[in-house]
């Protein structure tokens, strides 16, 4: 009887046995921190410094999120990662009619400089690294953060962190965009330019494969589409006259980690190698500008509402994949996140999972521990080859912006998502507790719920803010944003001044809607 063929989740056939004949000899002598960085971007990786352990948190009001941040910092978190609610993500204040039912639900509501002051109350921004998952309004949230850092007397040259700021994947996979791609790209390059002078240690973009994967892509598609988007951002910055060896060092990436341990680790290794080659071709001379540095989050879409405690094992596998793949920072999901925002207990277990891998597993003791595995090296090569084939198709269409406008990337993701779901339903893909090994007496743990009264609280705060500011200065600041948007000048200084004068997030976003219109 013929043995059934086995494949990774990207459809790559897995052979029964791998030997030296399956491995390209050109990679045999590769070293970490040396081009093309397959084996990592630091010479000693985690022997010198562990990855940054972040926990993604943000819910309800700034006051409630601030309590969670202090708790996480007390439990050993090294960096904060902020989740924003949907109105904040798409540029509406909490009192806007379109915000109803969404305020504080999937993240924290941030309307003004006062909310940011509350969010980081008791936390010195110069002492923490903060990642903000925000895209269309990323420039406004960064301005709030900078304004607060200035109020704290921080040295902006020492402030570290990341804004996601990756609008292209919003058109392809998530949908929280405001403006058309061309105007969005312009604002992103404004951020690159301003930060290179004023906030030099800030990662100006986190080019995100995470949401592409959450939307249903394969591992190969995740890195192909993400790197193609990265290429588009680099080209836009070069067209603006920016120096690739300067802004290239501040580009970072954000990837997903799924359950197929070896494919995921190989994916991270292939992505580093590909980005190094891509940046070199685009003109980078400084090797630091060719290094792909990335944050990883474990796979939200892999979590199951059925038998949720099984998710602890899934997150552990994904943690191992990210660490063995050489991540620079990591967020581990709570086991209950298929049911609700994570409870405090689930967030603690998620963090402890990282700490157990860091201090008990031995995995961080050597650099790139899977290097030299016939299987992993072969898989790294195959993932790279298939990803280059997809990027070549995107290049023929004129790059990512054009491929998104033509619907190519969206269609590819949708096809993969459909095939994956079909395989679960026909039983060829087993998900433990979902389509096999079900349990009749399942009970779900109590979920974390957000009170709908949050909108009223935020509206009251907004009313107080507007009654305690100088209307003339507000109008002047908003007009300045309008003028600079029209003239093509860098927007960042005007937006920072506006938030310092208590202009709200919605007011600033509305000025840009007035100039550019809203993209449908």
């Amino acid at each position: 009887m013929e043995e059934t063929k086995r494949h990774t989740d990207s459809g790559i056939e897995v052979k029964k046995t791998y030997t030296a004949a399956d491995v390209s000899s050109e990679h045999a002598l590769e070293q970490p921190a040396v081009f093309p960085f397959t084996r990592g971007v630091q010479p000693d990786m985690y022997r010198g410094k562990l990855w940054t352990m972040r926990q993604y948190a943000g819910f309800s009001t700034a006051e409630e999120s601030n309590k969670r941040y202090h708790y996480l910092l007390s439990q050993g978190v090294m960096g904060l990662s902020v989740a924003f609610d949907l109105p904040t993500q798409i540029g509406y204040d909490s009192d806007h009619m379109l915000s109803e039912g969404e305020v504080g639900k999937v993240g924290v509501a941030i309307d003004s400089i006062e909310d940011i002051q509350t969010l980081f109350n008791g936390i010195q921004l110069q002492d923490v690294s903060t990642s903000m998952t925000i895209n269309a309004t990323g420039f406004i949230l960064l301005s709030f953060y900078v304004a607060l850092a200035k109020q704290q007397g921080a040295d902006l040259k020492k402030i570290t962190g990341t804004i996601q700021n990756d609008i292209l994947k919003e058109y392809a996979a998530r949908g929280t965009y405001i403006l058309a791609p061309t105007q969005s790209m312009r604002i992103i390059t404004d951020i690159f330019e301003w930060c290179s002078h004023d906030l030099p240690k800030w990662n100006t973009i986190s080019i995100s494969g995470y949401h592409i994967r959450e939307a249903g892509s394969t591992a190969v598609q995740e890195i192909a589409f993400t790197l193609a988007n990265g290429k588009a951002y680099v080209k836009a910055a070069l067209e603006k006259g920016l120096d690739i060896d300067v802004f290239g060092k501040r580009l970072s990436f954000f990837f997903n980690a799924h359950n197929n341990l070896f494919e995921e680790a190989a994916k991270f290794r292939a992505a580093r190698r590909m980005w190094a080659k891509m940046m070199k071709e685009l003109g980078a001379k400084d090797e630091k500008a060719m290094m792909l540095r990335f944050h990883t989050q474990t796979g939200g879409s892999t979590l199951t509402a059925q038998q949720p405690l099984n998710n602890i094992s899934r997150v552990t596998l994904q943690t191992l994949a990210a660490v063995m793949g050489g991540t620079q920072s990591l967020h581990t999901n709570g086991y209950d996140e298929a049911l609700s925002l994570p409870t405090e207990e689930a967030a603690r277990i998620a963090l402890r999972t990282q700490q157990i891998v860091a201090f008990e597993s031995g995995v961080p003791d050597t650099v790139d521990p899977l290097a030299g595995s016939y299987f992993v090296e072969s898989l790294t090569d195959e993932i790279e080859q298939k990803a280059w084939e997809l990027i070549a198709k995107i290049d023929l269409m004129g790059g990512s912006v054009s491929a998104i406008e033509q619907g190519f990337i969206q269609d590819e993701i949708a096809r993969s998502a459909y095939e994956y779901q079909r395989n679960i339903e026909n039983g060829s893909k087993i998900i433990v507790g979902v389509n096999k090994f079900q349990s009749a007496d399942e009970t779900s743990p109590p979920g974390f719920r957000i009170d709908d009264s949050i909108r009223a609280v935020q509206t009251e705060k907004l009313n107080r803010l507007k009654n305690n500011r100088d209307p003339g200065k507000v109008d002047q600041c908003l007009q300045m944003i309008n003028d600079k948007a029209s003239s093509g000048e860098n927007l960042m200084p005007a937006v920072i001044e506006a938030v310092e004068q208590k202009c709200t997030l919605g007011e600033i976003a509305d000025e840009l809607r007035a100039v550019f219109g809203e993209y449908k």
Side-chain angles (χ1 to χ4, degrees), residues 120-173:
F120 293 103
N121 184 33
I123 298 168
Q124 290 299 306
L125 301 191
Q126 197 169 304
D127 298 338
V128 295
S129 164
T130 304
S131 171
M132 295 191 276
T133 304
I134 195 75
N135 297 284
T137 55
F139 67 107
I140 305 174
L141 269 300
L142 179 60
S143 298
F144 284 145
Y145 197 83
V146 168
L148 177 58
K150 286 165 71 177
Q151 286 176 5
Q152 289 184 352
D155 180 353
L156 294 188
K157 299 280 190 282
K158 292 179 181 173
I159 294 289
T160 61
T162 306
I163 40 170
Q164 193 164 97
N165 196 29
D166 174 9
I167 203 65
L168 291 179
K169 67 97 179 46
E170 293 296 325
Y171 302 108

Side-chain angles (χ1 to χ4, degrees), residues 274-321:
M274 292 173 72
W275 184 246
K277 292 174 181 175
M278 199 180 269
M279 287 295 275
K280 198 170 193 176
E281 281 176 19
L282 289 164
K285 302 275 190 300
D286 189 329
E287 288 207 337
K288 281 193 163 53
M290 302 175 201
M291 292 178 177
L292 182 144
R293 296 164 303 113
F294 67 99
H295 169 71
T296 309
Q297 182 176 338
T298 56
S301 62
T302 69
L303 303 178
T304 64
Q306 300 91 332
Q307 301 175 27
L309 289 172
N310 293 347
N311 293 327
I312 296 173
S313 300
R314 293 185 177 102
V315 168
T316 304
L317 276 173
Q318 294 162 13
T319 301
L320 283 168

Side-chain angles (χ1 to χ4, degrees), residues 27-89:
H27 303 306
L29 298 175
E30 284 183 347
Q31 291 297 312
V34 177
F35 182 90
F37 313 110
T38 312
R39 301 198 59 194
V41 294
Q42 287 113 351
D44 55 357
M45 284 305 289
Y46 309 129
R47 288 167 70 98
K49 180 175 177 279
L50 287 171
W51 63 93
T52 301
M53 296 180 195
R54 296 187 188 278
Q55 285 308 106
Y56 187 46
F59 55 89
S60 178
T61 60
E63 289 86 349
E64 290 303 311
S65 293
N66 176 261
K67 288 177 195 169
R68 178 69 66 92
Y69 294 156
H70 279 286
Y71 170 75
L72 289 169
L73 289 166
S74 76
Q75 294 297 303
V77 157
M78 304 166 182
L80 299 174
S81 186
V82 186
F84 298 96
D85 73 357
L86 202 54
T88 304
Q89 291 180 48

Side-chain angles (χ1 to χ4, degrees), residues 126-415:
Q126 197 169 304
D127 298 338
V128 295
S129 164
T130 304
S131 171
M132 295 191 276
T133 304
I134 195 75
N135 297 284
T137 55
F139 67 107
I140 305 174
L141 269 300
L142 179 60
S143 298
F144 284 145
Y145 197 83
V146 168
L148 177 58
K150 286 165 71 177
Q151 286 176 5
Q152 289 184 352
D155 180 353
L156 294 188
K157 299 280 190 282
K158 292 179 181 173
I159 294 289
T160 61
T162 306
I163 40 170
Q164 193 164 97
N165 196 29
D166 174 9
I167 203 65
L168 291 179
K169 67 97 179 46
E170 293 296 325
Y171 302 108
R174 274 193 85 239
T176 67
Y177 47 78
I178 301 171
L179 310 175
T182 308
Q183 281 94 30
S184 296
M185 293 290 277
R186 173 259 169 106
I187 292 172
I188 286 168
T189 55
D190 279 0
I191 295 167
F192 287 1
E193 183 179 49
W194 185 82
C195 287
S196 67
H197 301 297
D198 293 81
L199 209 66
K201 288 193 169 181
W202 190 267
N203 296 323
T204 50
I205 194 165
S206 176
I207 304 157
S208 175
Y210 185 84
H211 305 93
I212 288 170
R213 192 68 178 279
E214 289 292 285
S217 82
T218 65
V220 167
Q221 288 171 331
E222 179 189 352
I223 62 167
F225 298 153
T226 306
L227 297 185
N229 287 349
K231 189 177 186 177
Y233 292 124
V234 171
K235 285 188 163 182
L238 289 171
E239 283 166 18
K240 193 160 185 155
L242 304 185
D243 184 345
I244 192 169
D245 285 326
V246 176
F247 75 79
K249 293 175 191 171
R250 303 278 31 114
L251 304 178
S252 67
F253 288 81
F254 173 26
F255 289 119
N256 209 311
H258 272 225
N259 294 328
N260 193 315
L261 180 69
F262 296 112
E263 179 173 51
E264 293 299 297
K267 173 190 80 179
F268 298 130
R269 300 173 87 249
R272 265 195 302 273
R273 187 191 292 165
M274 292 173 72
W275 184 246
K277 292 174 181 175
M278 199 180 269
M279 287 295 275
K280 198 170 193 176
E281 281 176 19
L282 289 164
K285 302 275 190 300
D286 189 329
E287 288 207 337
K288 281 193 163 53
M290 302 175 201
M291 292 178 177
L292 182 144
R293 296 164 303 113
F294 67 99
H295 169 71
T296 309
Q297 182 176 338
T298 56
S301 62
T302 69
L303 303 178
T304 64
Q306 300 91 332
Q307 301 175 27
L309 289 172
N310 293 347
N311 293 327
I312 296 173
S313 300
R314 293 185 177 102
V315 168
T316 304
L317 276 173
Q318 294 162 13
T319 301
L320 283 168
V323 171
M324 291 197 284
T327 193
Q328 274 61 67
S329 75
L330 179 61
H331 162 74
T332 35
N333 289 330
Y335 67 82
D336 54 2
E337 286 189 57
L339 300 163
S340 69
L341 287 168
T343 55
E344 203 165 273
E345 180 200 45
R348 184 173 63 248
I349 291 171
L351 176 61
R352 294 291 181 256
T353 302
Q354 291 199 53
Q355 291 165 335
I356 289 166
V357 170
F359 298 107
E360 298 184 28
S361 73
V363 170
D365 292 347
T366 188
V367 177
D368 191 20
L370 296 177
S373 153
Y374 299 143
F375 176 41
V376 172
E377 294 291 1
S378 173
L379 202 47
T380 303
D381 289 346
E382 200 152 356
I383 288 170
E384 180 185 10
Q385 180 200 329
K386 289 185 179 301
W388 281 127
E389 287 167 7
L390 269 176
I391 290 171
K393 286 182 183 177
I394 291 167
D395 286 344
L396 281 173
M397 293 177 190
S400 268
V401 175
S402 181
I404 288 165
E405 287 172 344
Q406 292 175 50
F408 170 74
I409 291 175
Q410 298 93 309
D411 289 348
E412 289 287 306
I413 295 169
R415 190 177 299 112

